[in-house]
Amino acid sequence: MTFDKIKELIVDQLGVDEDMVEMDTNLMKDLEADSLDAVEIILGIEEAFGLEIPDEEAEKFETVRDLVEYVDSHEE
């Protein structure tokens, strides 16, 4: 499932408890991710799902749901 894979990437990158990562979790506000963390998460998602996420799309991501929905709608 897309959410589980993305959740694992976020937990690994940010070192947060996996209970903190839900669909509506805000990466910056709830998990205190900074812009470098966000870039690392995006790169991890690109690698894990074989996607290329344009910067202008990546800048729009705020919640875990945003990431999951993007991957689900762009996976082949």
Side-chain angles (χ1 to χ4, degrees):
M1 185 176 161
T2 306
F3 170 72
D4 294 328
K5 225 173 184 180
I6 289 176
K7 178 178 180 175
E8 186 180 320
L9 284 165
I10 292 169
V11 168
D12 288 347
Q13 177 62 37
L14 301 179
V16 296
D17 192 296
E18 63 180 47
D19 293 341
M20 294 175 68
V21 183
E22 300 292 337
M23 285 293 276
D24 292 320
T25 302
N26 185 297
L27 297 168
M28 304 291 184
K29 294 177 187 161
D30 298 328
L31 302 179
E32 299 178 4
D34 60 24
S35 56
L36 182 59
D37 292 326
V39 168
E40 291 293 331
I41 291 167
I42 297 297
L43 290 173
I45 289 170
E46 288 179 329
E47 187 175 316
F49 294 97
L51 295 173
E52 191 165 315
I53 303 172
D55 290 344
E56 58 272 8
E57 288 294 321
E59 290 169 7
K60 298 176 190 172
F61 299 141
E62 291 185 12
T63 65
V64 176
R65 181 181 311 280
D66 295 337
L67 296 168
V68 171
E69 288 176 352
Y70 183 88
V71 169
D72 284 344
S73 67
H74 290 81
E75 250 187 330
E76 291 155 16

